CSV table of all heavy atoms in Angstrom, one decimal:
chain,number,residue,atom,x,y,z
A,1,SER,N,-7.3,3.2,-3.1
A,1,SER,CA,-8.2,2.2,-2.5
A,1,SER,C,-9.6,2.3,-3.1
A,1,SER,O,-9.9,3.3,-3.8
A,1,SER,CB,-8.3,2.5,-1.0
A,1,SER,OG,-9.3,1.7,-0.4
A,2,LEU,N,-10.4,1.2,-2.9
A,2,LEU,CA,-11.8,1.2,-3.4
A,2,LEU,C,-12.6,2.3,-2.5
A,2,LEU,O,-13.6,2.7,-2.9
A,2,LEU,CB,-12.4,-0.1,-3.2
A,2,LEU,CG,-11.9,-1.3,-4.1
A,2,LEU,CD1,-12.4,-2.6,-3.6
A,2,LEU,CD2,-12.3,-1.0,-5.6
A,3,GLU,N,-12.0,2.6,-1.4
A,3,GLU,CA,-12.7,3.6,-0.5
A,3,GLU,C,-12.9,4.9,-1.2
A,3,GLU,O,-11.9,5.4,-1.9
A,3,GLU,CB,-11.8,3.8,0.8
A,3,GLU,CG,-12.5,4.5,1.9
A,3,GLU,CD,-11.6,4.6,3.1
A,3,GLU,OE1,-10.6,3.9,3.1
A,3,GLU,OE2,-12.0,5.2,4.1
A,4,GLN,N,-14.0,5.5,-1.1
A,4,GLN,CA,-14.4,6.7,-1.8
A,4,GLN,C,-14.1,8.0,-1.0
A,4,GLN,O,-13.9,9.1,-1.5
A,4,GLN,CB,-15.8,6.7,-2.3
A,4,GLN,CG,-16.1,5.6,-3.3
A,4,GLN,CD,-15.3,5.7,-4.6
A,4,GLN,OE1,-15.2,6.8,-5.2
A,4,GLN,NE2,-14.6,4.6,-4.9
A,5,ARG,N,-14.2,7.8,0.3
A,5,ARG,CA,-14.0,8.9,1.3
A,5,ARG,C,-12.9,8.6,2.3
A,5,ARG,O,-12.7,7.4,2.5
A,5,ARG,CB,-15.2,9.3,1.9
A,5,ARG,CG,-16.3,9.9,1.0
A,5,ARG,CD,-17.5,10.4,1.8
A,5,ARG,NE,-18.5,11.0,0.9
A,5,ARG,CZ,-19.6,11.6,1.3
A,5,ARG,NH1,-19.9,11.6,2.6
A,5,ARG,NH2,-20.4,12.1,0.5
A,6,GLY,N,-12.3,9.6,2.9
A,6,GLY,CA,-11.3,9.4,3.9
A,6,GLY,C,-10.0,10.0,3.5
A,6,GLY,O,-9.7,10.0,2.3
A,7,GLY,N,-9.3,10.4,4.5
A,7,GLY,CA,-8.0,11.0,4.3
A,7,GLY,C,-6.9,10.2,3.7
A,7,GLY,O,-5.9,10.7,3.1
A,8,PHE,N,-7.1,8.8,3.7
A,8,PHE,CA,-6.1,7.9,3.2
A,8,PHE,C,-6.7,7.0,2.1
A,8,PHE,O,-6.2,5.9,2.0
A,8,PHE,CB,-5.5,7.1,4.4
A,8,PHE,CG,-4.8,8.0,5.4
A,8,PHE,CD1,-5.4,8.5,6.5
A,8,PHE,CD2,-3.5,8.4,5.1
A,8,PHE,CE1,-4.7,9.3,7.4
A,8,PHE,CE2,-2.8,9.2,6.0
A,8,PHE,CZ,-3.5,9.7,7.2
A,9,LYS,N,-7.7,7.5,1.4
A,9,LYS,CA,-8.2,6.7,0.3
A,9,LYS,C,-7.1,6.6,-0.8
A,9,LYS,O,-7.1,5.7,-1.6
A,9,LYS,CB,-9.5,7.3,-0.2
A,9,LYS,CG,-9.3,8.7,-0.8
A,9,LYS,CD,-10.6,9.2,-1.3
A,9,LYS,CE,-10.5,10.6,-1.9
A,9,LYS,NZ,-11.8,11.2,-2.3
A,10,GLN,N,-6.2,7.6,-0.8
A,10,GLN,CA,-5.0,7.5,-1.7
A,10,GLN,C,-3.8,7.8,-0.8
A,10,GLN,O,-3.8,8.7,0.0
A,10,GLN,CB,-5.1,8.6,-2.8
A,10,GLN,CG,-6.2,8.3,-3.8
A,10,GLN,CD,-6.1,9.3,-5.0
A,10,GLN,OE1,-5.1,10.0,-5.2
A,10,GLN,NE2,-7.1,9.4,-5.8
A,11,THR,N,-2.7,7.0,-1.0
A,11,THR,CA,-1.5,7.3,-0.3
A,11,THR,C,-0.3,7.2,-1.4
A,11,THR,O,-0.5,6.7,-2.5
A,11,THR,CB,-1.2,6.2,0.7
A,11,THR,OG1,-1.1,4.9,0.2
A,11,THR,CG2,-2.4,6.2,1.8
A,12,GLU,N,0.8,7.8,-0.9
A,12,GLU,CA,2.0,7.8,-1.9
A,12,GLU,C,3.1,6.9,-1.2
A,12,GLU,O,3.2,6.9,0.0
A,12,GLU,CB,2.4,9.2,-2.1
A,12,GLU,CG,1.5,10.0,-2.9
A,12,GLU,CD,2.0,11.4,-3.2
A,12,GLU,OE1,3.1,11.7,-2.8
A,12,GLU,OE2,1.3,12.2,-3.9
A,13,MET,N,3.8,6.2,-2.0
A,13,MET,CA,4.8,5.3,-1.6
A,13,MET,C,6.1,5.7,-2.3
A,13,MET,O,6.2,5.6,-3.5
A,13,MET,CB,4.4,3.9,-1.8
A,13,MET,CG,5.5,2.9,-1.3
A,13,MET,SD,5.0,1.1,-1.6
A,13,MET,CE,3.8,0.9,-0.2
A,14,GLY,N,7.1,6.0,-1.5
A,14,GLY,CA,8.4,6.3,-2.1
A,14,GLY,C,9.1,5.1,-2.7
A,14,GLY,O,8.8,4.0,-2.3
A,15,ARG,N,10.1,5.4,-3.5
A,15,ARG,CA,10.8,4.2,-4.2
A,15,ARG,C,11.5,3.3,-3.2
A,15,ARG,O,11.7,2.1,-3.5
A,15,ARG,CB,11.8,4.8,-5.2
A,15,ARG,CG,12.9,5.6,-4.5
A,15,ARG,CD,13.6,6.6,-5.5
A,15,ARG,NE,12.7,7.7,-5.7
A,15,ARG,CZ,13.0,8.9,-6.3
A,15,ARG,NH1,14.3,9.0,-6.7
A,15,ARG,NH2,12.2,9.8,-6.6
A,16,GLU,N,11.9,3.9,-2.0
A,16,GLU,CA,12.6,3.0,-1.1
A,16,GLU,C,11.7,1.8,-0.6
A,16,GLU,O,12.2,0.7,-0.3
A,16,GLU,CB,13.1,3.8,0.1
A,16,GLU,CG,12.1,4.4,1.0
A,16,GLU,CD,11.6,5.8,0.5
A,16,GLU,OE1,11.6,6.1,-0.7
A,16,GLU,OE2,11.2,6.6,1.4
A,17,TYR,N,10.4,2.1,-0.5
A,17,TYR,CA,9.4,1.1,-0.1
A,17,TYR,C,9.0,0.2,-1.3
A,17,TYR,O,8.9,-1.0,-1.2
A,17,TYR,CB,8.1,1.7,0.5
A,17,TYR,CG,8.4,2.4,1.8
A,17,TYR,CD1,8.5,3.8,1.8
A,17,TYR,CD2,8.6,1.8,3.0
A,17,TYR,CE1,8.7,4.5,3.0
A,17,TYR,CE2,8.9,2.4,4.2
A,17,TYR,CZ,8.9,3.8,4.2
A,17,TYR,OH,9.2,4.5,5.3
A,18,VAL,N,8.8,0.9,-2.5
A,18,VAL,CA,8.4,0.1,-3.7
A,18,VAL,C,9.4,-1.0,-4.0
A,18,VAL,O,9.1,-2.1,-4.4
A,18,VAL,CB,8.3,1.1,-4.9
A,18,VAL,CG1,8.0,0.3,-6.1
A,18,VAL,CG2,7.2,2.1,-4.6
A,19,ARG,N,10.7,-0.7,-3.9
A,19,ARG,CA,11.8,-1.6,-4.3
A,19,ARG,C,12.2,-2.5,-3.1
A,19,ARG,O,13.0,-3.4,-3.3
A,19,ARG,CB,12.9,-0.8,-4.8
A,19,ARG,CG,12.7,-0.1,-6.1
A,19,ARG,CD,12.6,-1.2,-7.2
A,19,ARG,NE,11.9,-0.7,-8.4
A,19,ARG,CZ,11.6,-1.4,-9.5
A,19,ARG,NH1,12.0,-2.7,-9.5
A,19,ARG,NH2,10.9,-0.9,-10.5
A,20,ASP,N,11.6,-2.4,-2.0
A,20,ASP,CA,12.0,-3.2,-0.8
A,20,ASP,C,11.4,-4.7,-1.1
A,20,ASP,O,10.3,-4.8,-1.4
A,20,ASP,CB,11.5,-2.7,0.5
A,20,ASP,CG,12.1,-3.3,1.7
A,20,ASP,OD1,11.8,-4.5,2.0
A,20,ASP,OD2,13.0,-2.7,2.3
A,21,SER,N,12.2,-5.7,-0.8
A,21,SER,CA,11.8,-7.1,-1.0
A,21,SER,C,10.7,-7.5,-0.1
A,21,SER,O,10.1,-8.5,-0.3
A,21,SER,CB,13.0,-8.0,-0.8
A,21,SER,OG,13.5,-7.9,0.5
A,22,LEU,N,10.4,-6.8,1.0
A,22,LEU,CA,9.4,-7.1,2.0
A,22,LEU,C,8.1,-6.5,1.7
A,22,LEU,O,7.1,-6.8,2.3
A,22,LEU,CB,9.8,-6.8,3.4
A,22,LEU,CG,11.1,-7.5,3.9
A,22,LEU,CD1,11.3,-7.1,5.4
A,22,LEU,CD2,10.9,-9.0,3.8
A,23,THR,N,8.0,-5.5,0.7
A,23,THR,CA,6.8,-4.8,0.4
A,23,THR,C,5.9,-5.7,-0.5
A,23,THR,O,6.3,-6.1,-1.6
A,23,THR,CB,7.1,-3.5,-0.3
A,23,THR,OG1,7.9,-2.7,0.6
A,23,THR,CG2,5.8,-2.7,-0.6
A,24,LEU,N,4.7,-6.0,0.0
A,24,LEU,CA,3.8,-6.9,-0.7
A,24,LEU,C,2.5,-6.3,-1.0
A,24,LEU,O,2.0,-5.5,-0.3
A,24,LEU,CB,3.5,-8.2,0.1
A,24,LEU,CG,4.7,-9.0,0.6
A,24,LEU,CD1,4.1,-10.3,1.3
A,24,LEU,CD2,5.6,-9.5,-0.5
A,25,VAL,N,1.9,-6.8,-2.1
A,25,VAL,CA,0.4,-6.7,-2.3
A,25,VAL,C,-0.1,-8.0,-1.7
A,25,VAL,O,0.0,-9.1,-2.2
A,25,VAL,CB,0.1,-6.6,-3.8
A,25,VAL,CG1,-1.5,-6.8,-4.0
A,25,VAL,CG2,0.5,-5.3,-4.4
A,26,ALA,N,-0.6,-7.9,-0.4
A,26,ALA,CA,-0.9,-9.1,0.4
A,26,ALA,C,-2.3,-9.7,0.0
A,26,ALA,O,-3.2,-8.9,-0.2
A,26,ALA,CB,-0.8,-8.7,1.8
A,27,LEU,N,-2.3,-11.0,-0.1
A,27,LEU,CA,-3.5,-11.7,-0.4
A,27,LEU,C,-3.9,-12.6,0.7
A,27,LEU,O,-5.1,-13.0,0.8
A,27,LEU,CB,-3.3,-12.6,-1.7
A,27,LEU,CG,-2.8,-11.9,-2.9
A,27,LEU,CD1,-2.6,-12.9,-4.1
A,27,LEU,CD2,-3.8,-10.8,-3.4
A,28,GLU,N,-3.0,-12.9,1.6
A,28,GLU,CA,-3.3,-13.8,2.8
A,28,GLU,C,-2.7,-13.2,4.1
A,28,GLU,O,-1.8,-12.4,4.0
A,28,GLU,CB,-2.6,-15.2,2.6
A,28,GLU,CG,-3.2,-15.9,1.4
A,28,GLU,CD,-2.5,-17.3,1.2
A,28,GLU,OE1,-1.8,-17.7,2.1
A,28,GLU,OE2,-2.7,-17.9,0.1
A,29,LEU,N,-3.3,-13.5,5.2
A,29,LEU,CA,-2.9,-13.1,6.5
A,29,LEU,C,-3.0,-14.2,7.5
A,29,LEU,O,-4.0,-14.9,7.6
A,29,LEU,CB,-3.8,-11.9,7.0
A,29,LEU,CG,-3.7,-11.5,8.4
A,29,LEU,CD1,-2.3,-11.0,8.8
A,29,LEU,CD2,-4.8,-10.4,8.7
A,30,ASN,N,-1.9,-14.5,8.2
A,30,ASN,CA,-1.8,-15.5,9.2
A,30,ASN,C,-2.3,-16.9,8.7
A,30,ASN,O,-3.0,-17.6,9.4
A,30,ASN,CB,-2.6,-15.1,10.5
A,30,ASN,CG,-1.8,-14.0,11.2
A,30,ASN,OD1,-0.6,-13.8,11.1
A,30,ASN,ND2,-2.5,-13.3,12.1
A,31,GLY,N,-1.9,-17.2,7.5
A,31,GLY,CA,-2.2,-18.5,6.9
A,31,GLY,C,-3.6,-18.7,6.3
A,31,GLY,O,-3.9,-19.8,5.8
């Protein structure tokens, strides 16, 4: 993340999520 502090400024994503067809880099929310 752009966030510089915080316990979740970096997270790890397993291959099962990376390859899932529903996993998005989201640009829009609720239209």
Side-chain angles (χ1 to χ4, degrees):
S1 173
L2 292 171
E3 190 173 355
Q4 298 300 306
R5 292 186 178 182
F8 296 96
K9 64 183 180 181
Q10 294 186 13
T11 62
E12 294 185 359
M13 180 178 284
R15 65 203 68 166
E16 67 272 29
Y17 295 105
V18 174
R19 290 291 160 182
D20 194 284
S21 61
L22 299 183
T23 301
L24 302 184
V25 171
L27 306 176
E28 298 180 12
L29 169 61
N30 286 341

